[in-house]
């Protein structure tokens, strides 16, 4: 992992913050742990959300979130249009529904990740949700609720192209969780030209009967 | 058409199978032998010991899933059948770890490739680790036996196009290639091995040794996590285990104490060192968790002019060993070339990217082809492997630093894979690296690979083969068990899984695990019957 910033990144005060961030914990754990505590104290909801957001506009309100908080959901509502791009429906209501459904599947997936990786993700999401670190580390000025798709894309590009492995890792975590939950979902299979399991097999296999 | 599901029938016939989630009070159970893990090693051990008349209890942290659950759906399978819901990575997050967590272990979700341990690997073990008894000649009957038990033979159906492109590229360039032996019986050639075989054709532990053991009165606890082996003087007295709730991941608070004369740990190259470390067993030379190997995998994808449909058909049927031992067993790192199946979620997880570009790339999935290179780690002083340690919560984690020696091999493999794909007629090739674009000629790809930075996270890396961490050897100062899997310091403990390999294998490891576990269990059965 590189332990220096490239010249173009090392000039402004924001980068200085990033520099000290990296010095204090390249592994990130200590620093991120602090953020988790601070975020909790400063009133960010870290308990799972029960009902909310884009998610709020959904007709189907039965899903109970197990891991994502209100803040995490706003984060994904901001990021998903940038992550999924033209794969999302254009029609605003359909788009909202798709985003909401994807966030629910992200939550269900993370539940199965188990405690250790949940802890890592909690640190990442808290870092992105907590105002000070959102501004200094992600360099996203507005709160996620007010972030445009262009701003979200710029953030993703910064973390993708960064020479700092920790940010590359964050980029991969956010995009991988989202892409897998989206493209793996049956209703989106057509977007990757995948016809699904061969129909002839589905017709004759016993596990597809009496469902 | 009639169906006979081995598991459903067995459960009906009264197999002793207990779902940990149904337990409501703490209890103690006892048998001659307690086996931790139900994968290639644990299943083999359970069948051989129970057939010899010993009473056996199998302990599996994951849950029992079988045909009724195998609906060819990626998201449910990844969430339920894989470690950490398919989110397992190495410590710094840079290498994705694909590993099973269910009855049958990784054999329930592997792609059925069945290779013998290469002679060069066995000979190296003999020379370097004093494992003379594991010579190719001595092991041959065990490979024969396991090939028969698991119905392993070279795939006779034509490879799907995804695999055939590897063959075509190798043909054009004069590289050797072969057909992969698979452990299947009556395979429908569907392509869903990785999400649980929907037709029971795959002859992994779930369809062979587990039913074989249960037919012989073995008892299986699933949804039960082995927490700690408890010593009394110089022997293990019991295993403390905790039951999981029906979600498979939340401990219910119920504990089970398992007592036995002998304990066999077969919980994988991450799980077994983890259990030994949690148990604080004697480890005077600090060997537990060291020398962990993973066959680091890098990948290249191609856009082909013809429809590939890389999600259908036997996932792996062609391989090339052209570069596996070409620098000698212990020279510059060698790599085996294979092909992965590409379903939508897998592809979305492997191909890095976001936004319109990603949408456009994934929309071309039916024309996509991929080649992977599996690096043969552990045969050189500059490839010492990784280390398994415990997190604060007691769960195991693998730290695997990529050395310059391996980076060199990864770059070489990028060259080879791109060259092969272009030779087979690819329109465009993209390396799985954050900085790689699509390249439309071999010359462009070659120039680009010259300049790619070989760094964690930027290079997309994977592993489906975890080995080592409880290495075997004749010298206790540099190993955990002897050549029979017997622990050097605890007389009633054996390790029967891929964690005992002192290096990586240089091939998909399931047959190596089956064969060694069969050999060592046969000896153990004789020992315990005296």
């Amino acid at each position: 992992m590189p332990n220096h910033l490239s010249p173009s990144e090392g000039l402004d005060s924001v980068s200085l913050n990033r520099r000290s961030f990296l010095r204090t914990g390249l592994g990130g754990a200590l620093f991120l742990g602090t953020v988790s505590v601070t975020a909790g104290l400063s009133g960010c909801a870290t308990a799972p959300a029960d009902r909310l957001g884009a998610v709020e506009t959904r007709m189907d309100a039965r899903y109970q979130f197990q891991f994502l908080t209100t803040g995490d959901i706003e984060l994904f509502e901001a990021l998903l249009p940038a992550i999924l791009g033209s794969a999302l429906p254009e029609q605003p209501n359909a788009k909202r529904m798709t985003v909401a459904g994807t966030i629910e599947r992200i939550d269900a997936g993370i539940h199965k990740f188990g405690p250790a990786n949940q802890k890592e993700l909690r640190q990442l999401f808290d870092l992105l949700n907590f105002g000070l670190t959102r501004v200094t580390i992600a360099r996203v000025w507005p709160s996620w609720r007010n972030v445009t798709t262009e701003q979200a894309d710029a953030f993703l590009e910064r973390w993708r192209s960064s020479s700092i492995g920790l940010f590359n890792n964050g980029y991969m975590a956010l995009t991988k969780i989202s892409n897998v939950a989206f493209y793996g979902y049956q209703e989106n299979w057509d977007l990757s030209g995948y016809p699904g399991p061969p129909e002839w097999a589905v017709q004759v296999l016993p596990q597809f009967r009496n469902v | 058409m009639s169906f006979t599901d081995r598991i459903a029938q067995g459960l009906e016939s009264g197999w002793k199978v207990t779902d940990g989630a149904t337990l409501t009070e703490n209890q103690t159970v006892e048998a001659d032998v307690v086996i931790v893990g139900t994968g290639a090693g644990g299943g083999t051990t359970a069948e051989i010991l129970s057939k010899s008349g010993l009473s056996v209890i199998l302990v599996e942290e994951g849950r029992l899933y079988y045909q009724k659950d195998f609906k060819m759906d990626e998201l449910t399978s990844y969430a339920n059948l894989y470690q950490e819901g398919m989110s397992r990575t190495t410590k710094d997050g840079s290498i994705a770890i694909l590993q099973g967590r269910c009855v049958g272990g990784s054999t329930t979700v592997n792609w059925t490739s069945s290779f013998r341990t290469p002679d060069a690997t066995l000979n190296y073990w003999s020379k370097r680790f004093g494992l003379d008894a594991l010579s190719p000649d001595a092991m041959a009957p065990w490979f024969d036996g396991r090939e028969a038990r698991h119905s392993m033979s070279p795939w006779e159906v034509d490879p799907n196009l995804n695999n055939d492109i590897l063959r075509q590229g190798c043909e054009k360039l004069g590289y050797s290639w072969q057909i992969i032996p698979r452990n299947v019986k009556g395979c429908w050639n569907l392509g869903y091995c990785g999400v649980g075989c929907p037709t029971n054709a795959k002859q992994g532990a779930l369809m062979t040794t587990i039913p074989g053991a249960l037919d012989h009165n073995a008892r299986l606890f699933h949804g039960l996590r082995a927490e700690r082996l408890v010593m009394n003087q110089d022997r293990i007295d019991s295993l403390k285990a905790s039951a999981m709730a029906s979600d498979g991941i939340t401990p219910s608070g119920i504990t089970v104490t398992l007592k036995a004369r002998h304990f066999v740990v077969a919980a994988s190259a991450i799980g077994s060192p983890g259990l030994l470390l949690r148990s604080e067993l004697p480890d005077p030379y600090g060997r537990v968790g060291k020398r962990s190997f993973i066959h680091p995998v890098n990948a290249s994808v191609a856009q082909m002019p013809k429809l590939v449909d890389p999600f259908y058909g036997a996932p792996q049927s062609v391989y090339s060993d052209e570069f596996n031992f070409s620098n000698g067993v212990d020279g510059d790192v060698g790599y085996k070339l294979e092909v992965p199946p590409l379903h939508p979620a897998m592809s979305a997880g492997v191909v890095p990217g976001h936004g319109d570009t990603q949408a456009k790339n994934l929309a071309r999935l039916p024309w996509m082809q991929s080649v992977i290179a599996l690096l043969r780690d552990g045969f050189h002083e500059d490839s010492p492997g990784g280390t398994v340690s415990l997190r604060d919560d007691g769960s195991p984690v693998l730290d695997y630093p990529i050395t310059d020696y391996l980076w060199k091999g990864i770059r070489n493999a990028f060259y080879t894979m791109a060259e092969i794909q272009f030779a087979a007629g690819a329109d465009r090739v993209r390396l799985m690296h954050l900085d790689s674009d699509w390249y439309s000629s071999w010359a462009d790809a070659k120039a680009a690979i010259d300049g790619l930075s070989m760094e964690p996270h930027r290079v997309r890396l994977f592993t489906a083969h975890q080995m080592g961490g409880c290495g075997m050897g004749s010298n206790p100062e540099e190993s955990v068990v002897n050549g029979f899997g017997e622990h050097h310091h605890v007389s009633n403990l054996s390790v029967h899984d891929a964690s005992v390999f002192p290096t990586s294998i240089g091939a998909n490891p399931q047959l190596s695990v089956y064969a060694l576990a069969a050999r060592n269990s046969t000896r153990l059965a004789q020992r315990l019957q005296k």
Side-chain angles (χ1 to χ4, degrees), chain B residues 432-446:
Chain B
M432 293 298 94
H433 185 294
L434 287 184
D435 302 330
S436 174
D437 207 338
W438 287 100
Y439 306 107
S440 49
S441 73
W442 164 226
D444 287 355
K446 191 163 182 285

Side-chain angles (χ1 to χ4, degrees), chain B residues 96 98 110-113 115 162-163 165-167 170 180 294-302 315-324 334-342 346-347 350-351 368-376 409-421 429-432 459-465 506-509:
Chain B
L98 283 69
N110 72 17
W111 299 336
T112 73
S113 294
F115 297 99
N162 195 25
N163 278 274
I165 285 161
L166 173 58
R167 182 195 64 81
C170 287
I180 295 182
I294 58 170
H295 287 157
V297 169
N298 62 330
S300 171
V301 302
Q316 297 198 310
S317 53
V318 173
Y319 74 100
S320 171
D321 269 350
E322 179 74 23
F323 301 93
N324 203 357
Y335 45 91
K336 191 178 195 78
L337 297 169
E338 295 177 353
V339 159
L342 296 173
M346 174 72 77
S347 313
V350 168
V351 178
M368 199 181 277
Q369 193 274 342
S370 180
V371 177
I372 52 176
L374 298 81
L375 272 70
R376 189 169 50 76
I410 288 166
R411 190 188 301 273
N412 286 339
F414 273 141
Y415 290 123
T416 304
M417 294 189 287
E419 186 186 25
I420 286 173
Q421 288 173 316
V429 167
R430 180 176 167 208
L431 298 320
M432 293 298 94
V459 180
R460 305 308 306 149
L461 292 172
F462 313 88
T463 165
H465 305 154
N508 308 45

